Amino acid sequence: MTAFLDIAGAEKGFGATRVLGGVDLAVARGEFVSLLGPSGCGKTTLLRIVAGLLRPDRGHVRLDGEDITRRPPHKRDVGVVFQSYALFPHLNVAENVAFGLRAQGTGKAESAAAVDRFLTLVQLGHLADRPVSALSGGQQQRVAVARALAVRPKLLLLDEPFSALDRKLREGMQIELRRLLRELGTTAIFVTHDQEEALTMSDRIAVMHGGAIEHLGTPEEVYSRPATPFALEFVGLSSRLPGRVVESMNGLLMVETPLGRLRAPGSFLPGSPVLLAVRPERIRVGGTGEGNAVLAPLTDVVFQGARVQMHFAGADGLPLLAEVSELPSGHLRPGAELPLHWAVRDMLVYPAPDRAAVA
Amino acid sequence: MTKRVDLFALSALPAVLYLLVIYAVPLLMLLTRSVTGAEGLTLAPYTAFLSDAFNWQIIANTLRVAGLVTLTCLVIGYPVAFALSWARGLAQAVLLLSIILPLSVGVVVKAFAWQIVLKRDGVVTAALMATGLFEEPPRLLFTETGLVLGAANVFLPFMILPIYSVAKLVDPRLTEAGATLGATPWKRFARITWPLTLPGVISGIAFTFSLSVSMYVIPSLLIGDRFQTLATLTGRSFLLMRNEALGSATAVLLLALAVAVVVGSTWFARRLGRAA
């Protein structure tokens, strides 16, 4: 199967700084892929290369079977929703949405019909004649989405479109946008630094770091089996322990850690330094069970509504974090030693990263 | 709230008083002088002036030269204003300085400088001859072309600076958004950049036109007495002909024409902006 969008070996540098170092990414038709990473990871640069607003130093971009690497943005059929929305301040809502259609020579009646349709889709039909400056942030964002979709682009790029909205509004709009794009069958690439946003919306997530994709996978894969320590740290919470492999047999490791010997799945040469990690909701507090077990003093309990975070201090001051839906019974005061245990398959193992890379 | 308004009104008071005393009052006196004859109120100076076909030629000269100067400044100045808004750091400082510094050189000095530049063996003529398009050296000094070139040079900053002040506020993301919506570079300019910079263009036109319609020294030095404009005629009527009635009438006419053209072009440009 050939990909709908195929980015191969995209490289970009500004002066001496290499922002993007040979990125490959294939996106299927109708797919929603997030580029997730901290600022400076190259995600916006990659987006601008796909839009044609930047030219890569090396590499190719193919869309729907055509090489568009050197094609100017107005001939690409790639829509963009900008972080600042970039609505035209001298035009009203309907004129903003009609802009692309009119610029491409669509007739007045036909574009008016399309404007109507897309404004209705984003639930702004009643504001068509308003100046864009009179709209709230959420409404402006919808106008930007309607404007980008009205020309029916082959591919829609979204550059942190929710970052200026408050949390409550953002969550509603994420689901709304996802539904809209699914209905229209629009292929989309979504840039964000917000892991929750990426997990909520994406078919697949590309975790980016230092100008490269560190992990590309479904939200479930990225969360439960992050490919690198960076992906682990960037998506979700975890407790991390340094260790050294003492025994390796049949895909099962015995690792010496400050918390004692722990078992983990994987194959490493005995003696290799490794990084172990476990997600907080995988740790059970109290009782007994199979797998890895440690005893640790409770340092803090943080009530978060649906969940309760329990912080523990492991040996050597290593913090351990457990997340439970209900507090275990008994006296829970800081200092109380509690048994923790988790399944061997929930232990994540990585080759020990360089110190510099962890910090 | 009322206190604030009072304070604003108060802060404008010095300027209002100043303009009232040294501008509005003399202007009123001028207007009065132009409509006062031996037997009280009269429009005789105007009717006399406007009934002479030669004077219509003078009005045409005035408007044509001012229009051409304004157009030249717009064509040259618009891209410069954008270069200025895109430039950063040292480049911007140098560019800005090279636009503002010439303002400190007197108009008389500049006009004399242009006499040297435009003369028969000057650099412009030499450059034009070097292109091989001319059989013999084209005459520039003491022609309308020379006048427009020299005047445009003097008034160019008054076109560039207002456009620059608006251009630097235009978000470059807007033209990028236009591009991703399928607009060609020309359409991006016509439908995004131009309408958004129009307020700057309008004030640039207003500045340049009102300055060039009333210029006196530059035409005197670059084209001489045989080419009359309303401004030079006004000067001659007062200084040489001692005809105060005529001078007052031409001065008022000049003012009326300048205001009409500035207001008219503003209105027209606004309409154009709305249609685009």
Side-chain angles (χ1 to χ4, degrees):
Chain A
M1 184 202 89
T2 52
F4 183 61
L5 171 72
D6 189 14
I7 303 166
E11 274 181 42
K12 183 72 191 177
F14 296 106
T17 345
R18 215 154 105 110
V19 180
L20 217 54
V23 168
D24 299 313
L25 179 65
V27 176
R29 193 186 292 269
E31 206 181 7
F32 190 107
V33 174
S34 289
L35 306 179
L36 174 66
S39 54
C41 72
K43 56 192 193 298
T44 297
T45 304
L46 184 58
L47 190 88
R48 291 176 67 79
I49 285 173
V50 176
L53 300 171
L54 269 182
R55 189 158 282 186
D57 298 335
R58 236 175 249 120
H60 290 277
V61 181
R62 296 176 69 83
L63 179 64
D64 203 8
E66 288 176 274
D67 191 326
I68 58 168
T69 316
R70 311 213 146 258
R71 202 177 282 184
H74 62 275
K75 291 181 182 160
R76 285 196 178 202
D77 262 350
V78 174
V80 181
V81 175
F82 290 85
Q83 187 170 11
S84 58
Y85 313 142
L87 299 179
F88 304 123
H90 57 300
L91 303 177
N92 68 22
V93 170
E95 288 165 342
N96 260 279
V97 178
F99 184 94
L101 296 162
R102 302 292 290 145
Q104 292 179 18
T106 310
K108 262 207 171 116
E110 200 182 323
S111 51
V115 169
D116 260 1
R117 170 161 180 245
F118 281 93
L119 279 181
T120 309
L121 275 178
V122 297
Q123 297 159 30
L124 285 179
H126 57 297
L127 297 178
D129 298 326
R130 294 279 178 89
V132 288
S133 56
L135 303 185
S136 71
Q139 289 168 336
Q140 291 191 358
Q141 198 265 348
R142 288 171 200 217
V143 175
V145 169
R147 182 180 70 175
L149 287 174
V151 291
R152 305 310 310 268
K154 285 180 179 168
L155 175 68
L156 183 68
L157 308 177
L158 303 117
D159 188 4
E160 309 224 13
F162 302 115
S163 61
L165 306 179
D166 62 64
R167 194 187 172 89
K168 193 132 195 182
L169 187 59
R170 190 160 55 192
E171 282 169 5
M173 306 227 3
Q174 283 165 9
I175 295 166
E176 207 177 286
L177 177 67
R178 191 69 193 91
R179 203 202 57 227
L180 178 62
L181 294 180
R182 213 171 263 151
E183 276 172 19
L184 296 169
T186 309
T187 312
I189 295 184
F190 180 83
V191 159
T192 182
H193 65 268
D194 183 332
Q195 41 132 342
E196 278 176 44
E197 206 164 84
L199 292 172
T200 312
M201 300 185 70
S202 318
D203 293 322
R204 282 190 301 156
I205 296 174
V207 181
M208 291 189 70
H209 176 50
I213 294 178
E214 294 229 339
H215 190 171
L216 177 65
T218 64
E220 294 80 5
E221 285 165 3
V222 168
Y223 184 79
S224 57
R225 290 269 152 222
T228 65
F230 175 82
L232 163 81
E233 245 181 292
F234 199 77
V235 181
L237 299 166
S238 58
S239 306
R240 291 177 296 277
L241 318 158
R244 190 170 291 277
V245 176
V246 290
E247 212 182 300
S248 175
M249 221 166 56
N250 300 332
L252 204 66
L253 303 171
M254 182 65 79
V255 183
E256 185 70 55
T257 74
L259 298 181
R261 293 196 165 189
L262 296 174
R263 281 181 294 158
S267 315
F268 281 90
L269 285 176
S272 326
V274 290
L275 178 76
L276 296 181
V278 59
R279 294 290 191 195
E281 72 280 1
R282 297 293 171 185
I283 298 180
R284 267 158 295 163
V285 181
T288 53
E290 294 279 299
N292 293 311
V294 299
L295 202 63
L298 183 67
T299 54
D300 209 357
V301 175
V302 181
F303 182 70
Q304 290 192 316
R307 294 177 159 274
V308 183
Q309 284 188 342
M310 301 178 76
H311 296 263
F312 297 88
D316 277 7
L318 282 171
L320 285 172
L321 175 68
E323 214 167 60
V324 295
S325 50
E326 224 175 296
L327 275 178
S329 55
H331 219 49
L332 291 174
R333 72 164 37 152
E337 292 232 323
L338 293 172
L340 310 176
H341 54 92
W342 61 92
V344 172
R345 63 166 191 281
D346 289 332
M347 190 98 258
L348 303 166
V349 194
Y350 304 94
D354 305 332
R355 280 209 165 274
V358 181
Chain B
M1 195 61 203
T2 29
K3 257 195 175 146
R4 189 160 286 258
V5 170
D6 285 347
L7 210 65
F8 274 133
L10 215 62
S11 64
L13 198 61
V16 170
L17 279 178
Y18 176 77
L19 285 176
L20 211 63
V21 172
I22 76 136
Y23 192 67
V25 171
L27 208 62
L28 209 64
M29 284 164 63
L30 193 74
L31 188 65
T32 319
R33 182 68 197 78
S34 74
V35 290
T36 331
E39 306 94 36
L41 276 183
T42 172
L43 282 175
Y46 292 96
T47 49
F49 180 78
L50 292 176
S51 59
D52 189 339
F54 177 74
N55 291 335
W56 282 97
Q57 188 61 48
I58 292 178
I59 295 175
N61 283 350
T62 312
L63 292 179
R64 187 179 61 252
V65 167
L68 285 172
V69 170
T70 308
L71 190 68
T72 310
C73 285
L74 182 62
V75 170
I76 300 174
Y78 196 86
V80 176
F82 266 86
L84 197 58
S85 72
W86 287 332
R88 291 284 170 272
L90 187 68
Q92 193 184 35
V94 168
L95 215 53
L96 204 56
L97 207 67
S98 66
I99 291 163
I100 291 174
L101 208 60
L103 289 174
S104 65
V105 177
V107 173
V108 179
V109 177
K110 263 191 254 186
F112 272 121
W114 272 94
Q115 277 197 353
I116 298 166
V117 171
L118 294 175
K119 66 184 176 181
R120 194 165 277 271
D121 51 352
V123 282
V124 175
T125 314
L128 287 175
M129 285 307 288
T131 62
L133 294 170
F134 295 89
E135 295 273 311
E136 53 182 288
R139 189 183 158 84
L140 288 171
L141 191 57
F142 304 122
T143 67
E144 222 174 289
T145 314
L147 172 62
V148 169
L149 278 179
N153 166 259
V154 175
F155 300 132
L156 192 56
F158 297 98
M159 182 64 87
I160 294 175
L161 293 175
I163 299 176
Y164 160 66
S165 68
V166 175
K168 71 176 177 192
L169 298 178
V170 175
D171 183 357
R173 290 272 181 278
L174 296 178
T175 41
E176 286 188 349
T180 62
L181 290 166
T184 57
W186 164 248
K187 278 186 176 151
R188 275 176 253 160
F189 174 76
R191 296 186 182 184
I192 302 169
T193 313
W194 176 254
L196 286 175
T197 48
L198 204 57
V201 171
I202 291 170
S203 22
I205 288 176
F207 276 134
T208 329
F209 188 84
S210 40
L211 284 169
S212 53
V213 83
S214 59
M215 62 185 174
Y216 177 75
V217 175
I218 304 169
S220 305
L221 289 176
L222 288 187
I223 200 162
D225 279 347
R226 62 183 179 81
F227 185 86
Q228 290 289 321
T229 66
L230 280 175
T232 55
L233 181 62
T234 307
R236 279 163 63 92
S237 337
F238 278 110
L239 300 173
L240 295 173
M241 301 189 269
R242 302 281 171 197
N243 187 343
E244 284 183 26
L246 176 65
S248 308
T250 52
V252 170
L253 267 178
L254 178 59
L255 184 69
L257 277 175
V259 169
V261 169
V262 167
V263 170
S265 68
T266 306
W267 175 81
F268 180 70
R270 286 245 162 82
R271 264 184 65 98
L272 213 67
R274 216 167 287 148

